[in-house]
Amino acid sequence: AVAVSIPCSLVFADDAKIPDGILLTHNIRYREGASRSWMLDLAKPAVQTNGPRPAIVVIHGGGWIEGDKSSFSTPGVPTPGNIIDFAKLGFVAVTINYRLAREAPFPAAVADCRCAVRWLRAHAKEHNVDPERIGVWGNSAGGHLALSGAVLDCPGEAADLTKKPHAVLLAYPDITAGD
């Protein structure tokens, strides 16, 4: 995976409504099980193309203890990384919730993020996604999870490249190089 860190100066979802030509679906379950956190929102262009589209998974920050996917899927909320903006640019974009630290300890959130990538790859045909062009975007703790999901193998998890993205974009990531 390729990792890039940039300042947040992307386009914004500036209207309080979903733009014409964009389909937005809320609360799609990306993983089976008891956790209510395993949900995603999906935005995509309504117009089909001749070929599949690139996709991006957006991971919210919040210090691993708070935050919600809705901050990246609500029209009129000027958040860099809003999936509506990515859809306007031609991407299929999802934003996910994951188990926060109070619900499950590390590396549960990393595993959840990778399950969301695997879900998107498994549903690529249904959503017109190119499974070979899936990236992740995360801000703050979400940037940490995006990078960790791309480079770490979680204990007890089989090495499975279908869970890993092809590109990583970090916005104000919470990462430390060490002492």
Side-chain angles (χ1 to χ4, degrees):
V2 175
V4 178
S5 183
I6 63 167
C8 290
S9 60
L10 300 174
V11 295
F12 298 115
D14 52 7
D15 296 324
K17 62 181 179 61
I18 300 166
D20 291 338
I22 301 298
L23 301 175
L24 178 63
T25 306
H26 293 282
N27 298 321
I28 301 169
R29 182 167 279 283
Y30 68 85
R31 183 176 182 176
E32 294 301 318
S35 179
R36 293 173 30 195
S37 299
W38 294 327
M39 304 293 266
L40 62 82
D41 295 345
L42 184 143
K44 62 184 178 180
V47 175
Q48 292 291 332
T49 58
N50 288 337
R53 296 179 179 277
I56 190 156
V57 176
V58 176
I59 305 168
H60 69 79
W64 307 277
I65 60 170
E66 64 183 1
D68 187 82
K69 64 183 172 53
S70 63
S71 61
F72 293 102
S73 61
T74 303
V77 175
T79 304
N82 192 303
I83 63 171
I84 296 166
D85 293 323
F86 283 123
K88 289 183 343 190
L89 294 171
F91 289 86
V92 174
V94 302
T95 183
I96 66 168
N97 277 342
Y98 52 86
R99 289 173 292 171
L100 301 173
R102 291 184 182 117
E103 180 181 354
F106 179 86
V110 175
D112 292 350
C113 295
R114 291 187 1 180
C115 280
V117 170
R118 186 175 59 215
W119 179 92
L120 189 56
R121 216 170 252 127
H123 292 85
K125 190 170 273 189
E126 174 185 349
H127 296 290
N128 197 34
V129 168
D130 181 344
E132 298 302 317
R133 293 191 299 160
I134 296 175
V136 292
W137 186 100
N139 73 314
S140 191
H144 172 265
L145 293 171
L147 186 59
S148 296
V151 299
L152 296 180
D153 290 320
C154 294
E157 187 177 60
D160 182 356
L161 293 179
T162 65
K163 298 176 192 173
K164 294 190 177 185
H166 292 95
V168 180
L169 179 65
L170 309 175
Y172 308 116
D174 194 347
I175 55 176
T176 303
D179 296 319

